Amino acid sequence: MANKPIKIALLGLGTVGTGVYKLLSMRADDMPQIAGAPIEISHILVRNASKPRSGVETALLTDNWNDIISDPEVSIVVELMGGIEPAHTYIKEALQANKNVVTANKDLIAVHGGELLDLAEEHHCDLQFEASVAGAIPIIHPLKQSLAGNRITEIMGIVNGTTNYILTRMTEDGMEFSEALAKATELGYAEADPTADIEGYDAGRKVAIMASIAFHSRVTFDDVFTEGITNIQARDIRYAKEMGKAVKLLGVACNTDEGIEVRVHPMLIPSSHPLATVNNAFNAVFVHGDALDDAMFMGRGAGELPTASAVTGDIIDTARNILMHCTGRIGCTCYKKLPIKKMEDIKSKYYLRLEVENRMGVLAGVTGVLGNNGVSISQVLQKASDTDSAELVVITDTVRERHIRDALTILSNMSMVHKIASVIRVY
Amino acid sequence: MANKPIKIALLGLGTVGTGVYKLLSMRADDMPQIAGAPIEISHILVRNASKPRSGVETALLTDNWNDIISDPEVSIVVELMGGIEPAHTYIKEALQANKNVVTANKDLIAVHGGELLDLAEEHHCDLQFEASVAGAIPIIHPLKQSLAGNRITEIMGIVNGTTNYILTRMTEDGMEFSEALAKATELGYAEADPTADIEGYDAGRKVAIMASIAFHSRVTFDDVFTEGITNIQARDIRYAKEMGKAVKLLGVACNTDEGIEVRVHPMLIPSSHPLATVNNAFNAVFVHGDALDDAMFMGRGAGELPTASAVTGDIIDTARNILMHCTGRIGCTCYKKLPIKKMEDIKSKYYLRLEVENRMGVLAGVTGVLGNNGVSISQVLQKASDTDSAELVVITDTVRERHIRDALTILSNMSMVHKIASVIRVY
């Protein structure tokens, strides 16, 4: 191949940046055949360019963004810093300088994706972000391409490996949440501040990105209802298991006639559902479309080389577009403006675990309140009890969220109800 | 969108052709936004153009290939006839006339894929064939694109829904093969002549196509070892289950230092393996790459609309390339020439079920023959027995296929061995 190298700049040399550097080195000999030209890293933007990094050519390091943005030879900027700033500014400036962009930054795309895709289109540039959702699993490209003939009505995914690992430990080893979180931290699955993972924010960003592409209508992180897994107890998982169900933290996006539902919360799903068997740090995305029916994509959602796999795929795709003079070939696919459904309006079944007074009439009292609020009951189980209190597990029929909330407000004010211990949605 | 319609011709109006016709009608209003231009079917090639077809505009029907090939307005030929001829000739003529081609034809691509991709490249045309493998599941595009940064070392798939349905019935309902086949025929999962499915030929074609793309080296159907499921008995599946394993018909492609392995045969896999839970007519493809680690893609492998989903995705992608003047953007990716490993040289564990004489010394005789041929044994179980004969199940350690074959030849000539009832490879 006679093509001259395509020069790229990496922004950031953390876990993902290091992975991309390694993977591009591993594939250097094959790139002329795979991408059509050699891929050459010409700059790596880091905070401290004088700090040596093992295995990385020091001459490539720079702490000056101007070195990159002003170099006309750089045709792809690969943003792997994460967070909103300065990534947002750098990506805008790169696109304005007619440079293509590959990014793994879910925080940024989930909030500013629409604006950045518009800017990319204006400059006929690629803006690719496969790695921003579900790590190594190809999902953005398939949704924009092989599945593009479908009306996608549902996307449901385990898109946070940390929480899936925690729930797996709670399920398989009977650990409580805090113990499982400690284990995840010990193994490097959870960060020092695990808030974004365990509160569902990380998954929420990914769901916003997937929903935007699947439903052709911009969804941002603000639109996503998020509820984490900090309140899940080992006994809830045990009771779920007894009912043939697994507890997973799911990102759910549905395209309904009443608008788009986007939410992240723990959910009881049947053990026979393909997502139920996705364990440990694995991610998986389940898609339902009118032509394809059901499909599921499973793989590593994080990690140095798995994330680098997705980033490198985007670099290769962009390189091909550069060589064929067709950058910007697939831009923003949000050509609709669909309303977002309020969380109170979604319909679901619910698993309720209540600690109640242990005396006659309590069951009638609880079910009466539920019934008066339009919540019909599918199943009631009395679990543990002692002299003073009893534990009730109620599975409801499908009801609107607002009705459950109303009923729970009333129940929580009744003296016979000691505690509403758990409320988990049921698929 | 001001773009003028992209005209396409469908060749064939069977199950898949009808599905594509339906799906393009369903998405007609969205196509300008999705693909960048309306997609208009201008011709449908059928054997008898005067036979009316419900729901299809009669004016589109033609039985004359010349109407299509000589029409300069037709820019995509969508071949959905299946089989080698006349599909092969039509596709060649279409490419020679600088028309892009989308096909679902695994028989053709598995044999003539290399030649046709070369022809497409010569004419700067797209030749897309996502639907030729695993129906609705995106696998060709991900391998060529999002996963292109990987050295893929293993692809293993359930890529034939008919046999997976049969094995599921045998597993869940204890049916024998013939009964399960009858059930599959009744439900329309199996064709009148089921040979290509049950003998593994259909899966073999798909494995050849996937191996070519994953390993960047042309593999044709002739290179694939195929063994079907006609000899599997319900008791083999039962014994496998007792050992925590499931029996699946798998297409396996491995990229080893000694060459490429490509084979289709039944296999015992651990019940915990993601492929073990893929049941009924579902397909799934498991991929291992050096960066991505493990991934699995699951979905509908056949059917009118699922297959149409993949074909329509390719039509949309080709339409985008036409509009951006970059057809032929991703052509043949086979830039290596790797040797194909002989089946005798592959290494595997084996499950052997033998009917033997029921007397002292037989076990020693059998294990002696295996040992003398370099086959070491991991497990021996005596299953059923009556006065005359006993049933032995042997699980071997990893050995070369040639050694097992040698041992089985000797065993089959020994009077103490009444029958070698089953030989199944173990993952």
Side-chain angles (χ1 to χ4, degrees):
Chain A
M1 295 268 171
N3 285 317
K4 64 175 196 166
I6 290 176
K7 296 200 177 175
I8 74 173
L10 303 188
L11 315 189
L13 197 60
T15 304
V16 180
T18 307
V20 172
Y21 184 89
K22 279 188 196 168
L23 190 53
L24 288 175
S25 310
M26 284 157 67
R27 285 300 101 79
D29 291 346
D30 294 285
M31 275 301 167
Q33 284 82 29
I34 295 174
I39 306 286
E40 192 181 303
I41 300 174
S42 63
H43 303 79
I44 304 174
L45 185 70
V46 290
R47 244 181 237 144
N48 180 356
S50 54
K51 186 175 122 190
R53 329 252 163 168
S54 86
V56 176
E57 257 182 81
T58 314
L60 300 179
L61 301 176
T62 174
D63 52 16
N64 186 353
W65 166 239
N66 275 326
D67 288 353
I68 294 167
I69 194 71
S70 65
D71 184 343
E73 294 269 295
V74 172
S75 53
I76 311 177
V77 169
V78 183
E79 186 276 307
L80 307 167
M81 302 184 295
I84 303 294
E85 282 300 343
H88 188 199
T89 302
Y90 290 171
I91 290 181
K92 277 198 290 189
E93 290 182 7
L95 293 170
Q96 281 158 349
N98 300 314
K99 297 186 189 304
N100 301 286
V101 172
V102 170
T103 174
N105 193 329
K106 55 191 171 289
D107 302 42
L108 187 61
I109 297 294
V111 177
H112 299 288
E115 170 210 341
L116 294 174
L117 280 162
D118 287 348
L119 192 59
E121 193 168 331
E122 195 183 308
H123 290 269
H124 308 286
C125 285
D126 274 358
L127 169 60
Q128 302 218 37
F129 47 91
E130 184 62 71
S132 67
V133 178
I137 307 172
I139 182 69
I140 307 292
H141 280 282
L143 285 173
K144 289 197 170 198
Q145 196 169 326
S146 300
L147 307 179
N150 285 268
R151 181 173 186 270
I152 307 278
T153 47
E154 188 182 16
I155 291 215
M156 200 160 76
I158 295 170
V159 287
N160 180 274
T162 310
T163 46
N164 202 43
Y165 177 80
I166 291 172
L167 290 172
T168 303
R169 288 284 65 75
M170 292 174 74
T171 305
E172 292 182 357
D173 307 332
M175 286 182 188
E176 285 298 348
F177 170 77
S178 56
E179 192 188 350
L181 172 61
K183 186 87 190 160
T185 309
E186 184 192 319
L187 292 172
Y189 289 141
E191 295 177 59
D193 176 1
T195 312
D197 291 326
I198 62 179
E199 295 297 351
Y201 307 152
D202 174 81
R205 295 182 177 108
K206 292 164 181 168
V207 172
I209 297 171
M210 288 196 290
S212 299
I213 296 166
F215 306 152
H216 303 291
S217 183
R218 181 62 49 195
V219 175
T220 63
F221 178 48
D222 281 350
D223 298 322
V224 185
F225 170 89
T226 53
E227 182 184 300
I229 61 165
T230 53
N231 290 327
I232 303 286
Q233 294 184 28
R235 62 186 352 167
D236 295 315
I237 295 179
R238 210 165 59 235
Y239 296 162
K241 223 191 224 171
E242 288 168 18
M243 296 183 277
K245 295 182 197 296
V247 179
K248 293 289 183 188
L249 180 69
L250 293 180
V252 179
C254 298
N255 192 4
T256 77
D257 292 338
E258 301 171 326
I260 292 177
E261 290 178 17
V262 268
R263 44 199 169 96
V264 172
H265 49 67
M267 186 140 59
L268 268 66
I269 55 172
S271 305
S272 58
H273 192 285
L275 286 172
T277 55
V278 176
N279 287 323
N280 295 310
F282 273 92
N283 279 19
V285 179
F286 177 89
V287 181
H288 183 86
D290 62 352
L292 99 123
D293 191 38
D294 290 341
M296 192 178 86
F297 310 93
M298 195 194 85
R300 295 266 171 212
E304 188 183 76
L305 285 177
T307 311
S309 166
V311 172
T312 304
D314 281 355
I315 293 172
I316 292 169
D317 201 54
T318 303
R320 287 170 176 158
N321 286 345
I322 291 170
L323 295 169
M324 296 293 284
H325 308 287
C326 62
T327 56
R329 200 179 75 93
I330 306 182
C332 185
T333 48
C334 293
Y335 60 89
K336 299 181 183 176
K337 270 195 200 295
L338 301 174
I340 305 290
K341 212 159 145 182
K342 285 205 188 76
M343 193 60 193
E344 304 91 88
D345 291 334
I346 74 137
K347 287 177 188 165
S348 181
K349 296 179 182 179
Y350 296 81
Y351 159 101
L352 312 175
R353 183 163 57 82
L354 309 176
E355 288 167 22
V356 296
E357 225 176 310
N358 194 6
R359 65 163 172 83
M360 288 281 287
V362 168
L363 186 58
V366 168
T367 55
V369 169
L370 291 170
N372 289 339
N373 284 278
V375 178
S376 69
I377 293 167
S378 156
Q379 214 179 341
V380 183
L381 303 162
Q382 175 153 338
K383 308 299 295 191
S385 70
D386 59 31
T387 40
D388 292 329
S389 75
E391 191 178 45
L392 278 186
V393 168
V394 178
I395 307 289
T396 75
D397 285 333
T398 302
V399 313
R400 271 199 204 274
E401 174 110 353
R402 81 167 78 242
H403 295 150
I404 274 286
R405 290 188 188 178
D406 289 347
L408 291 173
T409 305
I410 297 170
L411 286 174
S412 65
N413 288 320
M414 289 165 75
S415 64
M416 63 170 74
V417 176
H418 297 161
K419 193 177 172 189
I420 295 167
S422 290
V423 181
I424 311 177
R425 293 165 192 85
V426 180
Y427 186 65
Chain B
M1 294 269 169
N3 286 317
K4 63 174 197 165
I6 289 176
K7 296 201 177 174
I8 73 172
L10 303 188
L11 315 189
L13 197 59
T15 304
V16 180
T18 306
V20 172
Y21 184 88
K22 279 187 195 168
L23 190 53
L24 288 176
S25 310
M26 286 157 67
R27 286 299 102 80
D29 291 345
D30 294 285
M31 275 302 168
Q33 282 82 29
I34 297 174
I39 305 287
E40 192 182 300
I41 299 173
S42 63
H43 303 79
I44 303 174
L45 185 69
V46 290
R47 243 178 240 147
N48 179 357
S50 54
K51 185 174 124 190
R53 330 252 164 166
S54 87
V56 177
E57 257 182 84
T58 314
L60 300 180
L61 302 175
T62 174
D63 52 15
N64 186 354
W65 166 239
N66 275 327
D67 288 352
I68 294 167
I69 194 71
S70 65
D71 184 342
E73 294 269 296
V74 172
S75 52
I76 311 178
V77 169
V78 183
E79 186 275 307
L80 307 167
M81 302 185 295
I84 302 294
E85 281 301 341
H88 188 198
T89 301
Y90 290 169
I91 291 181
K92 277 197 292 188
E93 290 181 9
L95 293 170
Q96 280 156 350
N98 300 314
K99 296 186 190 304
N100 301 286
V101 172
V102 170
T103 175
N105 193 328
K106 55 189 171 290
D107 302 42
L108 187 61
I109 296 296
V111 176
H112 299 288
E115 169 210 341
L116 293 174
L117 281 162
D118 287 348
L119 193 58
E121 195 169 331
E122 196 183 306
H123 291 268
H124 308 287
C125 285
D126 274 357
L127 169 60
Q128 302 219 37
F129 47 91
E130 183 63 69
S132 67
V133 177
I137 308 171
I139 183 68
I140 306 293
H141 281 282
L143 285 173
K144 288 196 170 199
Q145 197 169 325
S146 300
L147 307 179
N150 285 268
R151 181 173 188 268
I152 308 277
T153 46
E154 187 181 14
I155 289 213
M156 199 161 76
I158 295 171
V159 287
N160 180 274
T162 310
T163 46
N164 202 42
Y165 177 81
I166 291 171
L167 291 173
T168 303
R169 289 283 66 74
M170 292 175 73
T171 305
E172 293 183 357
D173 307 331
M175 286 182 188
E176 285 298 347
F177 171 77
S178 55
E179 193 188 348
L181 172 60
K183 186 85 190 160
T185 310
E186 185 191 318
L187 293 173
Y189 289 141
E191 295 178 59
D193 177 1
T195 312
D197 291 325
I198 62 179
E199 295 297 352
Y201 307 152
D202 174 81
R205 294 181 178 109
K206 293 162 179 170
V207 173
I209 296 170
M210 289 195 291
S212 299
I213 296 166
F215 307 151
H216 303 292
S217 182
R218 181 62 49 195
V219 175
T220 64
F221 179 48
D222 283 350
D223 297 323
V224 184
F225 170 87
T226 54
E227 182 184 298
I229 61 165
T230 53
N231 290 328
I232 304 287
Q233 293 184 28
R235 63 189 344 166
D236 294 316
I237 294 180
R238 211 165 58 234
Y239 296 162
K241 224 191 225 170
E242 289 167 16
M243 294 184 278
K245 294 181 198 295
V247 179
K248 293 289 183 189
L249 181 69
L250 293 180
V252 179
C254 298
N255 191 5
T256 76
D257 291 338
E258 299 171 328
I260 292 176
E261 292 178 14
V262 268
R263 45 199 169 95
V264 172
H265 49 67
M267 185 138 63
L268 268 66
I269 56 173
S271 305
S272 58
H273 192 285
L275 286 172
T277 55
V278 176
N279 287 323
N280 295 309
F282 273 92
N283 280 19
V285 179
F286 177 90
V287 180
H288 183 86
D290 61 351
L292 98 123
D293 190 37
D294 290 341
M296 191 179 86
F297 310 93
M298 195 195 85
R300 295 266 171 212
E304 189 183 73
L305 285 177
T307 311
S309 166
V311 171
T312 303
D314 280 355
I315 293 172
I316 291 168
D317 201 55
T318 303
R320 287 170 176 158
N321 286 345
I322 291 170
L323 294 169
M324 295 292 284
H325 309 287
C326 61
T327 56
R329 200 179 74 94
I330 306 181
C332 184
T333 48
C334 293
Y335 60 89
K336 299 180 184 176
K337 272 196 197 295
L338 301 173
I340 305 290
K341 212 159 145 181
K342 285 205 187 77
M343 192 61 193
E344 303 92 88
D345 290 333
I346 74 136
K347 286 177 187 165
S348 182
K349 296 177 181 180
Y350 296 80
Y351 159 102
L352 312 174
R353 183 163 58 82
L354 309 175
E355 289 167 21
V356 296
E357 224 176 311
N358 193 5
R359 65 165 173 82
M360 290 280 288
V362 168
L363 185 58
V366 167
T367 55
V369 168
L370 291 170
N372 289 341
N373 284 278
V375 178
S376 69
I377 293 167
S378 154
Q379 213 177 342
V380 183
L381 303 163
Q382 174 153 337
K383 308 301 292 192
S385 70
D386 59 29
T387 40
D388 292 331
S389 75
E391 191 178 43
L392 278 186
V393 168
V394 178
I395 308 288
T396 74
D397 285 332
T398 302
V399 310
R400 271 201 203 273
E401 174 109 354
R402 83 166 78 242
H403 295 151
I404 273 286
R405 291 188 187 177
D406 289 347
L408 291 173
T409 304
I410 296 168
L411 286 174
S412 65
N413 288 320
M414 288 164 77
S415 64
M416 63 171 73
V417 176
H418 297 162
K419 195 178 171 189
I420 295 168
S422 290
V423 181
I424 311 177
R425 291 163 193 86
V426 180
Y427 186 66

